[in-house]
């Protein structure tokens, strides 16, 4: 009788211990699962599409800033405006970037406080040529014929282009051609067949 009681008690203890053992395993399994979900959750929820997975920053077109010079509000000096050029255009060559800069100048300023100083209907006829540290800019007749004249405005027109291009470290001066030819005078006040180096005397906003 006593032996039977001992056997039954032993079986009860075994079942009790087994219950605790299984409960312990369940707790451990839950904890491991939670850690895995926390650790791998970013991978489980990441987009499958390679395009979707690219960050918005990566998808933004990469651009480089250029500094353009336009007339100030009362046309007494030059002020800068920052414009952005696609990096693939800027990276091609100095000539490509210089051409993009002149074309941006021809579009005029975005800032309503600034004024265009390049004559209406002016157009760049060729890619800007780089000869040593000089940029050669070939423009059409309108660049001369449509200019209203006046020494200050002539200076603003010339140095709008010169100062914008000499922001590039590879360009130290600018030579102008009209229809592929050098011209002795611009619009009555400036000798026009020599290279124009950078000048900051007209710059009003601290440009260098």
């Amino acid at each position: 009788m006593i032996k039977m009681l001992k056997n039954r008690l032993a079986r009860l203890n075994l079942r009790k211990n087994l219950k605790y053992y299984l409960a312990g395993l369940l707790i451990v399994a839950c904890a491991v699962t939670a850690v895995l979900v926390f650790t791998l959750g970013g991978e489980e929820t990441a987009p499958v599409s390679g395009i979707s997975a690219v960050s918005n920053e990566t998808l933004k077109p990469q651009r480089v800033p250029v500094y353009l010079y336009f007339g100030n509000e009362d046309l007494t000096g030059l002020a800068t405006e920052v414009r952005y050029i696609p990096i693939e255009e800027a990276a091609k060559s100095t000539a490509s970037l210089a051409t993009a800069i002149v074309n941006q100048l021809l579009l005029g300023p975005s800032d309503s406080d600034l004024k265009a100083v390049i004559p209406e209907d002016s157009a760049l006829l060729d890619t800007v040529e780089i000869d040593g540290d000089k940029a050669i800019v070939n423009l059409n007749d309108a660049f001369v014929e449509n200019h209203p004249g006046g020494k200050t405005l002539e200076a603003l027109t010339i140095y709008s282009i010169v100062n914008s291009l000499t922001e590039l470290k590879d360009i130290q001066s600018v030579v102008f051609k009209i229809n592929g030819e050098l011209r002795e005078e611009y619009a009555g006040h400036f000798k026009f067949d020599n290279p124009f180096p950078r000048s900051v005397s007209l710059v009003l906003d601290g440009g260098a």
Side-chain angles (χ1 to χ4, degrees):
M1 183 70 170
I2 293 174
K3 187 175 181 180
M4 288 178 61
L5 288 173
K6 286 182 178 181
N7 289 339
R8 181 175 294 177
L9 185 59
R11 284 196 296 271
L12 288 172
N13 286 336
L14 179 60
R15 288 176 182 172
K16 184 177 181 182
N17 290 338
L18 182 60
K19 180 173 71 174
Y20 288 140
Y21 177 72
L22 291 175
L25 284 178
L26 182 60
I27 291 171
V28 170
C30 289
V32 170
T33 301
V35 170
L36 288 174
V37 169
F38 180 80
T39 304
L40 301 177
E43 294 180 6
E44 291 177 359
T45 58
V48 175
S49 167
I51 295 176
S52 300
V54 178
S55 69
N56 288 335
E57 197 64 33
T58 305
L59 289 174
K60 289 179 181 177
Q62 296 185 23
R63 302 178 298 165
V64 295
V66 293
Y67 297 87
L68 307 181
Y69 288 79
F70 295 102
N72 67 336
E73 192 169 11
D74 58 2
L75 293 176
T76 58
L78 295 171
T80 53
E81 179 178 288
V82 180
R83 199 74 57 87
Y84 292 89
I85 305 293
I87 194 168
E88 57 271 18
E89 188 70 23
K92 289 178 183 177
S93 64
T94 301
S96 177
L97 181 53
T99 301
I101 287 172
V102 176
N103 283 326
Q104 289 295 317
L105 287 170
L106 292 171
L107 292 174
S110 300
D111 188 336
S112 59
D113 291 333
L114 302 180
K115 291 188 176 180
V117 289
I118 296 177
E120 189 175 356
D121 297 327
S122 295
L124 189 61
L125 298 180
D126 302 300
T127 299
V128 173
E129 181 184 345
I130 306 300
D131 181 11
D133 61 2
K134 295 191 293 290
I136 301 172
V137 180
N138 184 26
L139 295 152
N140 65 352
D141 285 326
F143 184 72
V144 177
E145 293 175 0
N146 292 352
H147 199 283
K151 186 174 182 179
T152 298
L153 191 53
E154 284 180 44
L156 293 180
T157 300
I158 291 168
Y159 285 101
S160 168
I161 296 174
V162 171
N163 282 8
S164 297
L165 289 179
T166 54
E167 285 283 347
L168 305 182
K169 64 181 180 63
D170 294 331
I171 298 175
Q172 299 299 315
S173 62
V174 176
V175 175
F176 290 94
K177 289 184 177 182
I178 304 301
N179 286 330
E181 301 292 334
L182 292 174
R183 186 183 178 98
E184 288 187 12
E185 285 189 348
Y186 182 36
H189 294 90
F190 281 88
K191 184 173 173 57
F192 205 53
D193 56 359
N194 288 329
F196 287 88
R198 184 177 185 80
S199 173
V200 296
S201 62
L202 290 169
V203 178
L204 303 176
D205 61 355

